[in-house]
Amino acid sequence: MRPALPVILRTVLFSFLLLSSCAIVYTTVLNARTAQSLADSSLESTALSLSTSAENALRIGGERMNEEIREILSDRVVAYALIAGSEGTVLFHTNPRLVGTRIAEEGLKEWLRAGRTSGRRVTLGTGLSAYEFNYVLHRPDGDSEILRLVLHTAQADRIVAGARHLWWTVGLALILLWTVGILLERVFARHLRLQAESDRREHLALVGQMTATLAHEIRNALGSVKGYTQWVSEKVGESDPKKQGLAAVLRGTERIESLVNDLLLFSREETYSVESVDLESLVRDTVETETSSWTGKLEQETAHGIRAMADFEKLRRVLSNGIRNAIQAMGPGGTLRVSARAEGARAVIRIEDDGPGISQEELPRLFTPFHTTRADGTGLGLAYSKKAIEGMKGVIELSNRPEGRGAALVIRIPKGG
Ligand SMILES: Nc1ncnc2c1ncn2[C@@H]1O[C@H](COP(=O)(O)OP(=O)(O)O)[C@@H](O)[C@H]1O
Ligand SMILES: [Mg+2]
């Protein structure tokens, strides 16, 4: 079976949304990573350039050496800087009071011997984030000292913060993308549904016209057959063997007549003369007519004075079919419950039986024309009922009773004044 167009559309649309979302997220992750490494390398190059300047000042020496180094390291980005000897004694500090203290550093000597520079992110005692850069200073006398620069990271981290802000923009863009996508899907699906519905209506109208013409012709021809058979049957004596055959012909014509009548009812364009109908008496009379020869138990509960806005004849036909269906489902016994009451702005009629109920396979086909499980059924009763009740701006449902056995036909129509 070919997949339906809405399914294909939905798949294409959601695949597109998913792929573009993935592409956007991937690019943003990449961007965030680049921003982080950009920030780190900017810190490293600042530290390196400050360190080499300090080293140069140290090489040149002279009286103003310390002042010069202090000046170089007084850059705003420097949180503090120190120079320590291989034993860890602080020889220089941007805070002069700390000169002479010691830095506790394991493996300092080895590290100095290896002569490598290193940088890492640390957290200061104030809780601020900083970048610690260690640089080996080679003194003119061949000794090595460590220059430790601790830089504020705020400026560099602004690049990272910028990338982080991008996440908000990306998030909003994704929400927008998905909202537009879902709306588009809804609009498309609705358009296709309406299109299919209008195609179905057109098709039904055509079938209806054909059926109506055909049914008229059959009914006319049937009128002659029935009339003539009845006439002959009256002439033939009771003991005549032809009598039985004629009775069978009559039964056949009656069956065809009822089928044709149902077909005509279902297929013709109906006009509705909706008025305020006294439901109490309509329900009572219909129940009485339909159950006159039935032997089961009847429970009736109609709210006093209840009225509905309905087409009297059509509603009577719908109720007759509902009651007949219930009785046919139960057979000669069982309990039939018919009730009519007001629920909000609606009048609700319920026809409940305790028959076998409706199977799961049958449920979706209930209101489709010609669906019947009875040998002498036409399968047009419920299809007509749906058309008629919807024509009165109501709804009709048939389902298994939630409590106990059997089925319940529920009709909701606007309440009458
Ligand atoms: N109360 C009910 N209990 C069980 N099945 C029902 C009931 N009412 C309707 N049905 C099912 O719905 C089918 C269609 O009903 P309907 O349209 O009135 O046509 P018909 O009465 O000619 O069969 C019935 O054949 C039956 O299978
Ligand atoms: Mg029926």
Side-chain angles (χ1 to χ4, degrees), residues 126-190:
T126 53
L128 286 176
S129 136
Y131 179 74
E132 185 189 282
F133 185 75
N134 293 311
Y135 184 83
V136 183
L137 287 175
H138 300 287
R139 291 185 73 93
D141 54 17
D143 232 6
S144 290
E145 285 166 357
I146 174 175
L147 167 63
R148 175 168 298 168
L149 279 173
V150 177
L151 305 183
H152 292 300
T153 55
Q155 218 168 347
D157 283 346
R158 232 164 267 155
I159 309 172
V160 183
R164 222 168 274 148
H165 277 135
L166 198 65
W167 274 111
W168 284 102
T169 321
V170 165
L172 280 176
L174 283 179
I175 290 173
L176 203 72
L177 189 73
W178 279 88
T179 313
V180 170
I182 288 166
L183 277 178
L184 258 177
E185 191 267 337
R186 290 274 151 89
V187 171
F188 259 131
R190 195 179 129 79

Side-chain angles (χ1 to χ4, degrees), residues 321 325 328 374 381:
N321 178 63
N325 280 356
Q328 281 153 0
R374 296 191 299 111

Side-chain angles (χ1 to χ4, degrees), residues 35 37 72 99 102 157 159 173 186 198 213 250 255 275 302 322 346 349 356 375 394 396-397 404 406 412:
S37 68
I72 291 165
V99 174
R102 290 176 68 85
D157 283 346
I159 309 172
R186 290 274 151 89
S198 110
T213 315
L250 270 179
R255 164 120 180 83
E275 55 188 352
T302 36
R346 305 229 141 182
I349 307 166
I396 180 166
E397 291 160 1
R412 293 171 213 272

Side-chain angles (χ1 to χ4, degrees), residues 255 262 321-330 351-359 362 365-385 398-400 406-409:
R255 164 120 180 83
D262 277 2
N321 178 63
I323 296 167
R324 244 179 284 140
N325 280 356
I327 291 176
Q328 281 153 0
M330 289 187 290
I351 302 170
E352 295 164 285
D353 61 67
D354 56 4
I358 301 140
S359 66
E362 205 189 341
R365 285 183 288 146
L366 277 179
F367 290 91
T368 37
F370 305 111
H371 165 72
T372 181
T373 53
R374 296 191 299 111
D376 60 344
T378 62
L380 287 169
L382 286 178
Y384 170 77
S385 302
L398 176 60
S399 53
N400 286 318
L409 182 76

Side-chain angles (χ1 to χ4, degrees), residues 273-324:
S273 58
V274 173
E275 55 188 352
S276 177
V277 168
D278 174 6
L279 268 192
E280 200 186 350
S281 63
L282 172 62
V283 170
R284 198 190 330 108
D285 293 350
T286 319
V287 168
E288 205 177 299
T289 316
E290 294 301 337
T291 57
S292 58
S293 57
W294 182 60
T295 47
K297 188 175 160 214
L298 178 66
E299 288 176 8
Q300 235 185 123
E301 197 188 303
T302 36
H304 182 62
I306 183 164
R307 304 184 77 82
M309 294 305 292
D311 182 311
F312 184 89
E313 256 321 300
K314 295 186 182 72
L315 184 57
R316 195 187 53 74
R317 235 175 259 137
V318 172
L319 294 180
S320 292
N321 178 63
I323 296 167
R324 244 179 284 140

